[in-house]
């Protein structure tokens, strides 16, 4: 069983017209006969500002605390107390994150190391700020599933391109014993996008279908001069189920969903409704007959459509 070690810290409140020259803390288990003396290192703590941390304490229980301040030969003491309970085991060492990078299809790779002694589980967090107030992903990996490489799937279009992400991890030595957080590593999420020429129909025509929009004598199947021709980006090198469609021509590029598609809209006619309703169908110029269904709210390709340009 790991030995428990607790860290006790406190601030000192005092008023002095002259600089304090020495500060000392004394602590002991209640009813013990001898205090442990701890000279507080320089610089002298600033009143109500500096956090003083005692050496690690191994024995649980209730402790007496006494703090002595000195100005040359004049001293003053103040008594207090603290309680030691169950603390982090010494052997519950924090993980170390080695590196983070982005591979094909927007899969983030995180390499990290963990001391496997007393390894119950590992938790990692990803946030868009260094204080980890805006956490975008949290995952717990059981110790039996530990691997020094973690693959993080974040290609759902919810993270804007060029977003700086922050990573940290900690070790669970048991259900109740946790290590400190690891070092924080950050990197800029720069999505790899692949350009395509494609024909798109907005969700405004969901009740009509993409192949015969009779009102405008238009069709997604017409190649060449077609108002439905758009330049897009994909998150995959080939069109496929699960790919996300992005704009092509914005800085930065944005997911092809309502609110981001003003450049797709004409003032009237068949090439309308994109910015309000999103893309419903898409056909890529390289594929003469295949039409894909698209989730208009996210810009994700759902599957090959029942509609086709085969004649």
């Amino acid at each position: 069983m790991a030995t428990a070690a607790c860290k006790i810290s406190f601030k000192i409140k005092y008023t002095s017209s002259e600089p304090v020259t020495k500060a000392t803390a004394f602590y002991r288990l209640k009813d013990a006969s001898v205090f442990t003396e701890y000279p507080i290192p320089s610089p002298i703590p600033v009143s109500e500002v500096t956090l003083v941390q005692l050496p690690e304490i191994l024995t649980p229980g209730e402790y007496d605390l006494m703090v002595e301040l000195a100005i040359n030969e004049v001293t003053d003491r103040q008594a207090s107390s603290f309680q030691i309970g169950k603390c982090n085991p010494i052997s519950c060492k924090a993980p170390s994150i080695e590196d983070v990078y982005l591979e094909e299809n927007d899969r983030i790779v995180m390499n990290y190391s963990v001391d496997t002694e007393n390894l119950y589980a590992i938790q990692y967090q990803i946030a868009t700020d260094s204080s980890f107030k805006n956490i975008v992903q949290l995952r717990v990996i059981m110790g039996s599933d530990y691997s020094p490489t973690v693959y993080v799937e974040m290609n759902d279009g919810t993270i804007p391109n060029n977003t700086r992400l922050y990573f940290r991890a900690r070790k669970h030595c048991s259900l109740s014993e946790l290590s400190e957080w690891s070092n924080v590593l950050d990197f800029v999420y720069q999505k790899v996008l692949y350009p395509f020429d494609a024909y798109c129909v907005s969700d405004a025509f969901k009740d009509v279908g993409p192949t015969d929009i009779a009102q405008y004598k238009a069709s997604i199947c017409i190649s060449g001069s077609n108002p439905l021709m758009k330049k897009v980006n994909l998150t995959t090198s080939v069109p496929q189920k699960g790919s996300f469609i992005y704009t092509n021509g914005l800085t930065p590029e944005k997911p092809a969903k309502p609110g981001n598609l003003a450049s797709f809209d004409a003032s009237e006619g068949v090439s309308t409704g994109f910015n309000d309703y999103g893309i419903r169908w898409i056909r890529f110029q390289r594929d003469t007959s295949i039409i894909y269904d698209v989730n208009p709210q996210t810009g994700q390709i759902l599957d090959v459509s029942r509609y086709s340009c085969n004649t």
Side-chain angles (χ1 to χ4, degrees), residues 59-286:
T59 306
E62 189 175 354
Y63 282 74
D64 293 320
L65 173 66
M66 189 177 301
V67 176
E68 180 182 273
L69 300 181
I71 301 176
N72 298 321
E73 301 301 322
V74 179
T75 62
D76 189 20
R77 289 187 173 188
Q78 181 69 46
S80 185
S81 63
F82 59 86
Q83 180 79 33
I84 292 290
K86 190 175 184 180
C87 303
N88 293 338
I90 292 176
S91 63
C92 199
K93 298 177 182 178
S96 175
I97 300 179
E98 311 298 339
D99 65 348
V100 179
Y101 60 92
L102 191 68
E103 67 174 19
E104 190 176 359
N105 293 341
D106 292 338
R107 189 166 68 166
I108 297 172
V109 180
M110 180 177 75
N111 292 318
Y112 70 120
S113 59
V114 178
D115 182 357
T116 56
E117 182 180 357
N118 299 325
L119 176 57
Y120 177 74
I122 307 122
Q123 177 190 8
Y124 72 77
Q125 294 179 345
I126 304 174
T128 58
D129 64 299
S130 59
S131 300
F132 288 84
K133 294 180 180 178
N134 184 31
I135 295 174
V136 294
Q137 187 169 124
L138 182 153
R139 183 182 173 194
V140 175
I141 302 170
M142 299 309 297
S144 57
D145 297 325
Y146 166 65
S147 168
T149 300
V150 171
Y151 298 98
V152 183
E153 301 292 345
M154 297 188 70
N155 60 354
D156 59 359
T158 58
I159 303 299
N161 207 16
N162 297 317
T163 298
R164 185 171 294 277
L165 297 175
Y166 297 83
F167 296 73
R168 68 179 181 180
R170 64 180 175 183
K171 174 184 174 183
H172 292 242
C173 290
S174 69
L175 285 172
S176 59
E177 296 171 338
L178 298 173
S179 75
E180 301 290 338
W181 285 107
S182 70
N183 59 308
V184 175
L185 211 62
D186 67 288
F187 92 122
V188 177
Y189 180 65
Q190 292 181 316
K191 188 183 297 291
V192 178
L193 297 174
Y194 302 88
F196 289 89
D197 290 328
Y199 302 90
C200 303
V201 175
S202 78
D203 198 40
F205 298 96
K206 63 182 179 181
D207 296 328
V208 177
T211 58
D212 185 13
I213 308 174
Q215 178 184 359
Y216 297 107
K217 298 181 180 180
S219 171
I220 199 173
C221 297
I222 299 174
S223 297
S225 179
N226 187 338
L228 296 175
M229 165 68 84
K230 310 294 177 185
K231 290 188 177 296
V232 301
N233 281 307
L234 284 187
T235 55
T236 54
S237 58
V238 295
Q240 61 188 38
K241 178 181 178 180
S243 301
F244 280 86
I245 306 168
Y246 271 68
T247 58
N248 185 329
L250 300 181
T251 304
E253 303 298 357
K254 298 180 179 180
K257 59 184 181 180
N260 295 338
L261 297 172
S263 63
F264 279 42
D265 281 335
S267 58
E268 59 183 6
V270 70
S271 186
T272 55
F274 291 104
N275 202 46
D276 288 335
Y277 305 106
I279 299 171
R280 181 75 175 198
W281 293 282
I282 189 169
R283 177 177 72 88
F284 294 91
Q285 192 174 46
R286 57 184 285 172

